Each structure stands twice: as C-alpha cells, then as structure tokens.
Amino acid sequence: MSRIDLELTDRIAVVTLRNEPLNIFDIGFYTEVREFMLDLNARSDFDAVVITSGCRHFSGGGDLPEIQRICSDVKVAERVSRAVAACMGSIYHCKKPVIAAVHGNAIGSGTGIAASCDLIIAQETSKFAVPEINVGFIGASEFMQLLVPKKLARYYAYTGKPITGAELKRWGGVLDTAGTREEVLEKAMAVAREIAARAPAAVSLFKAAMNYNDNEDLEGKFFHEMRLGLGGFYGSDDAGECIAAMLEKRKPVYTGK
C-alpha cells in the first residue's frame, strides 16, 4: 500500500506524505519518496508541486532504531546515506518548483525534505531542527544552511535546537506563515497557482539556472558528512551514549572516546 497520495488540480501536483503516525523516515520511505518524485518528474501534466503531510506532523524525523544501526554498522550507514541523499535530491532537482506546506513539526528528515523544496509555507509554531548531534549522527547541516545564514546554521547544527516557522520567516527561510494547518495549505496552493500561471518552460529554466548557480550539491555534501562520521565517530563510546541517553531520557555523559 502506497504511503504517498497524488492529487492533480489546476496543473498543480499535490503530494501528500502519509506514513502514519508521524511520517517517520527509514530507508524504505526515503526510497519510496525518491521513486515517487522521479515518476512524477517524468510526467508533463503539472507546473508546480505542493508537498504536504497527511499525518499530525510534517515529519517526526528519522527512524531511531535505524539510526542506531547506522552508528554501529558501516554498511548500513552507507546504504541509508545513499537513500537519504537520493530522496532529497529527487525533490531538489524536480523540474518544476516544489512548495513545502508544513504543519506541526519538521524534525531531522522533515527539515531536509522542506529545505530541499524551492519554497516553504509553515505554521508559525512549526518547529524545524537538525537534531542529529543529539543522536550521534553526523549529517544534515547542509539542509539548515538552505534555511538560515551560514553562521546561524552552525549554531543550530552544533546544538540540535529547533527554530520555529515564525523565526525562519524573519530569516527568509520560510516564505510565509499561517496559524492553522488548513491555512498553510491554502497559502501554499495560492503560491503554486501564481507560479503555474507563468510560462512553464521559462519557470523550469529559471529553476535549473538557480540550482546551478547555487551550486548546492546537496548529495555530495551529505556524503561528505557521512564519511566524516564513518571515519571515526560512528562506533565510538560517545556515539553510543548519544542514542542511549535519548532512549533512556537522561542527560548524556560523554568521555571523548
């Protein structure tokens, strides 16, 4: 059974992620989203995309048991990292502009999905975060760098602290905010209609040019971070302590080993 719904209206593809209960991402869901986006990109009956969630939150992040395996098994880490990069890349490189309609929280993978979109509409109270530092995982800082200035992105990557939709709007990472889930989707659809009303070929070329000019290389950056973790941190005592402390709901005790 598919965990992704598609509705086409006014040449806008509305993609709803529905991995109950919280849109948690594991290698299977990363792969499913990637394949869905590649299939969508091969179509010619849409001019803009809105990605939303059918769950209580946009996404609760990555699957913790899988993250545990990543931190202890190099082969698992490589497989998952490739799936993550391919998933985010399939959104970032979609030929048409993609708008994230974020309600609730977009944690970890959720922030990656939203940041890979061209534009974001979010609830004022939505929380975005790359909390990988707190679970012993090296990765995802490049997605926060798409949302806030680089110096600020370093702070959020080093601490794992969340930032709200309202705060991101002030920094330009979120185009607009709304109070309710329904209002978020309405605003996202309104922006999608604005874009779809322009010359489709011109919009696609603008997107291709801006992606090239930005030179983000999201996949390469993510792999680089993963290689740094594989080079010594994964499998260490502190890496294990990160995830153990989170699961046991206690303050971690690090030894530097």
Side-chain angles (χ1 to χ4, degrees):
M1 182 178 178
S2 175
R3 294 174 287 185
I4 307 172
D5 298 333
L6 174 64
E7 180 181 351
L8 282 165
T9 177
D10 299 327
R11 293 193 63 82
I12 298 166
V14 181
V15 177
T16 303
L17 307 181
R18 202 182 299 278
N19 187 23
E20 297 287 359
L22 297 174
N23 271 335
I24 296 297
F25 276 81
D26 59 11
I27 191 169
F29 198 38
Y30 288 123
T31 302
E32 188 174 338
V33 171
R34 170 186 172 272
E35 291 175 350
F36 183 94
M37 290 303 298
L38 292 178
D39 288 344
L40 178 63
N41 205 38
R43 298 172 62 146
S44 59
D45 55 354
F46 71 101
D47 294 316
V49 181
V50 172
I51 295 182
T52 186
S53 165
C55 301
R56 185 158 54 93
H57 292 283
F58 188 75
S59 174
D63 180 66
L64 281 178
E66 187 167 82
I67 292 173
Q68 282 182 292
R69 293 194 295 275
I70 288 171
C71 295
S72 60
D73 189 319
V74 171
K75 291 183 178 179
V76 172
E78 289 178 345
R79 286 199 302 272
V80 175
S81 65
R82 292 186 184 281
V84 174
C87 174
M88 305 306 172
S90 70
I91 296 170
Y92 185 77
H93 296 296
C94 179
K95 65 185 178 184
K96 301 294 185 179
V98 184
I99 303 161
V102 177
H103 69 265
N105 297 331
I107 305 300
S109 302
T111 291
I113 293 287
S116 298
C117 295
D118 295 85
L119 302 167
I120 302 172
I121 308 293
Q123 280 185 290
E124 297 164 357
T125 55
S126 290
K127 291 181 179 180
F128 297 77
V130 286
E132 279 74 5
I133 191 74
N134 297 322
V135 293
F137 185 76
I138 311 299
S141 66
E142 63 277 1
F143 300 116
M144 186 57 77
Q145 288 179 322
L146 292 174
L147 300 177
V148 297
K150 289 185 177 181
K151 297 296 186 186
L152 195 58
R154 286 175 181 257
Y155 171 76
Y156 286 108
Y158 295 162
T159 64
K161 287 187 174 181
I163 183 170
T164 66
E167 291 173 303
L168 280 179
K169 183 181 177 182
R170 288 197 289 271
W171 288 109
V174 161
L175 177 65
D176 202 358
T177 56
T180 69
R181 174 176 181 169
E182 292 74 22
E183 290 169 342
V184 165
L185 187 56
E186 286 175 10
K187 286 192 173 186
M189 291 297 292
V191 172
R193 289 189 190 98
E194 279 189 273
I195 294 170
R198 272 56 183 180
V203 172
S204 293
L205 290 172
F206 258 116
K207 173 164 183 173
M210 294 181 78
N211 278 6
Y212 177 83
N213 292 339
D214 285 344
N215 191 30
E216 291 299 346
D217 186 22
L218 293 181
E219 297 96 322
K221 290 178 180 179
F222 189 83
F223 282 137
H224 178 68
E225 287 181 313
M226 181 60 68
R227 284 192 293 269
L228 290 175
L230 291 170
F233 186 66
Y234 298 153
S236 69
D237 291 345
D238 279 357
E241 175 63 7
C242 285
I243 192 74
M246 171 168 280
L247 293 174
E248 296 168 13
K249 298 181 179 180
R250 59 173 174 80
K251 185 177 180 179
V253 179
Y254 298 122
T255 63
K257 297 180 181 179

